[in-house]
Amino acid sequence: MVDRQIVERGVEDGAVIAAMRAVPRDCFVGEEMHEFAYDDTALPIGEGQTISQPFIVAAMASAAGLRPDSRVLEVGTGSGYGAAVLSVVAGEVWTIERIAALADQARARLADLGYDNVHVVHGDGTLGLPEDAPFDAIIVTAGGPAVPDALVEQLADGGTLVIPVGSETRVQRLVRVRRHGGDLVEEDLGPVRFVPLVGDQGWTRPP
Ligand code: SAH
């Protein structure tokens, strides 16, 4: 999976590549999806949600420019797979999920697998986690109509936010926002497809 889907497609961050080799994706999907766990695709995880395609997990983690001591916020825990990958590359990870059943399942799974530098929170990630801010990186794994102000405000100086943004609920551009003091630099990293970001600063209701 890692050689064909990630290295050959141009992900160069060695720490991210090592994390993708280390985290067992099959442990983050149901029994019935085990045979597809290393395929080049998103997979259903229940509640109408998906575990992201491996390439996009690696591409977003490398776009965030993580260091071993980075404090990272992930919005959209889903299965917990992305949080596990981030926790291997970075120092400490907070991940927020709006669907309680998914948050509970991911928390138990991450604890079982020994990813003890991950905190799983149930709530609306479009508001971020002000009490634990600022973050060196914020990675949003669901697509919203715009970049939430709350998340930009919770970026550390020199920090990076990576988020799918689009005017349709399931088609987006991946946007990277970097903070340099009071200045924000925004870049378009290309087209992506994510489930909708539903919340106060996202879409107003599930589709
Ligand atoms: N990173 C996940 C991908 C999950 S899909 C993984 O590796 O499995 C995106 C997730 O974002 C879904 O579980 C969805 O419920 C969640 N989500 C959508 N809007 C949200 C919000 N406002 N706050 C937190 N989670 C949200």
Side-chain angles (χ1 to χ4, degrees), residues 38-114:
Y38 295 94
D39 288 0
D40 184 19
T41 177
L43 294 170
I45 56 171
E47 308 286 339
Q49 308 303 323
T50 53
I51 180 173
S52 301
Q53 180 195 18
F55 170 71
I56 200 76
V57 174
M60 289 176 93
S62 28
L66 304 174
R67 298 179 310 267
D69 64 347
S70 295
R71 304 171 80 254
V72 182
L73 174 65
E74 180 193 44
V75 176
T77 312
S79 66
Y81 175 68
V85 171
L86 295 172
S87 81
V88 174
V89 182
E92 199 162 6
V93 177
W94 287 261
T95 179
I96 313 186
E97 171 57 52
R98 65 176 279 271
I99 299 176
L102 292 178
D104 290 345
Q105 200 176 38
R107 188 181 299 112
R109 184 179 273 155
L110 288 161
D112 275 357
L113 294 168

